[in-house]
């Protein structure tokens, strides 16, 4: 109802106010519009009050489109190994079972939802702070279990490789020689490092 509304709101409504949430902001803004902004006399509309010309203004407006516009944030990212995604300056946890896969993020005024395909892998309350990490305890617990399972699998693979016996196609065992045996075979001997701790170079290697 007035020219340059954003600047008017910024300089006349925001200074000195504190807001606990988006809903609190909206409630205070509605009261301020009803008690002050829409009831004051505005010279640019003929020294009338905005509330008195609202009906006239609505009659001049075009009709709304048949479908509602898309609101909020929407994006797609590949989930990193830290299993967190960033939305408007804050980090939200995602179930680590989809690490490395693409996830779709949608955020409105109240919720942040992350989906992998048709499966919802995170659902958080939207935070209006900045540089905040929001973690779901279930996601953190699942990440610890996956790390533990990975370490156990690595240990099992190492033990299996260490215990594995190499065999020829006919089935008899392949002997594994110690590495110094190959040095003796080719007549290559590496000198012992001097007391000063210097690493021997190619010049210290002698051939027999």
């Amino acid at each position: 109802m007035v020219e340059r509304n954003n600047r008017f709101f910024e300089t006349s409504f925001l200074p000195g106010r504190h807001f606990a949430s988006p809903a609190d902001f909206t409630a205070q803004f509605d009261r301020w519009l009803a008690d002050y902004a829409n009831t004051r006399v505005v010279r640019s509309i003929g020294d009338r009050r905005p509330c008195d010309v609202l009906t006239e203004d609505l009659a001049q407006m075009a009709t709304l489109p048949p479908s509602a516009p898309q609101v909020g944030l929407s994006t797609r990212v590949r989930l990193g190994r830290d299993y967190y995604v960033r939305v408007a300056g804050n980090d939200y946890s995602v179930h680590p079972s989809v690490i490395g896969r693409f996830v779709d993020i949608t955020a409105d005024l109240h919720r942040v939802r992350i989906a992998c395909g048709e499966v919802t892998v995170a659902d958080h309350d939207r935070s209006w702070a900045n540089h905040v990490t929001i973690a779901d305890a279930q996601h953190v617990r699942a990440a610890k279990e996956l790390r533990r399972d990975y370490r156990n699998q690595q240990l099992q693979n190492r033990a299996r490789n260490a215990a594995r016996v190499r065999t020829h196609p006919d089935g008899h065992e392949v002997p594994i020689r110690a590495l110094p045996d190959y040095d003796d075979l080719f007549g290559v001997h590496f000198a012992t490092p001097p007391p000063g701790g210097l690493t021997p170079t190619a010049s210290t290697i002698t051939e027999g």
Side-chain angles (χ1 to χ4, degrees):
M1 301 301 295
V2 298
E3 295 181 359
R4 298 181 295 276
N5 276 339
N6 288 340
R7 179 175 297 180
F8 171 60
F9 297 151
E10 182 179 359
T11 57
S12 300
F13 169 70
L14 291 179
R17 292 179 181 268
H18 300 277
F19 310 101
S21 65
D24 182 39
F25 178 95
T26 300
Q28 292 191 42
F29 190 53
D30 287 344
R31 290 194 300 269
W32 179 80
L33 288 175
D35 297 340
Y36 172 70
N38 288 336
T39 57
R40 69 190 185 99
V41 175
V42 180
R43 183 170 54 186
S44 62
I45 57 176
D47 292 330
R48 294 183 294 176
R49 300 182 307 169
C51 60
D52 295 333
V53 295
L54 179 60
T55 302
E56 179 183 339
D57 194 48
L58 290 174
Q60 301 298 321
M61 294 182 180
T63 58
L64 295 174
S67 58
Q70 182 178 355
V71 296
L73 304 174
S74 179
T75 187
R76 167 175 283 195
V77 299
R78 188 185 295 275
L79 185 63
R81 294 180 60 184
D82 63 352
Y83 66 92
Y84 282 83
V85 296
R86 179 158 295 178
V87 179
N90 296 319
D91 294 329
Y92 297 84
S93 68
V94 182
H95 198 284
S97 62
V98 294
I99 287 176
R101 301 174 62 182
F102 282 103
V103 294
D104 297 303
I105 306 169
T106 56
D108 56 25
L109 295 177
H110 308 289
R111 307 294 299 173
V112 173
R113 297 180 176 87
I114 298 99
C116 183
E118 300 298 326
V119 179
T120 298
V121 289
D123 190 349
H124 298 277
D125 291 329
R126 174 80 178 269
S127 173
W128 289 92
N130 198 20
H131 303 298
V132 173
T133 299
I134 298 93
D136 188 316
Q138 181 181 359
H139 300 164
V140 176
R141 185 165 53 251
K144 290 181 179 179
E145 293 174 355
L146 289 174
R147 285 193 295 267
R148 181 196 61 200
D149 294 343
Y150 176 78
R151 288 193 296 267
N152 291 340
Q153 185 64 41
Q154 291 294 99
L155 293 175
Q156 292 174 7
N157 290 339
R158 292 172 185 171
R160 189 180 301 112
N161 291 335
R164 184 175 58 185
V165 177
R166 299 181 181 180
T167 60
H168 284 288
D170 60 5
H172 74 273
E173 184 177 339
V174 177
I176 301 178
R177 301 180 66 96
L179 291 179
D181 293 346
Y182 294 98
D183 296 340
D184 295 336
L185 177 65
F186 292 101
V188 178
H189 302 282
F190 293 89
T192 303
L198 297 178
T199 302
T201 63
S203 61
T204 64
I205 300 177
T206 60
E207 295 186 2

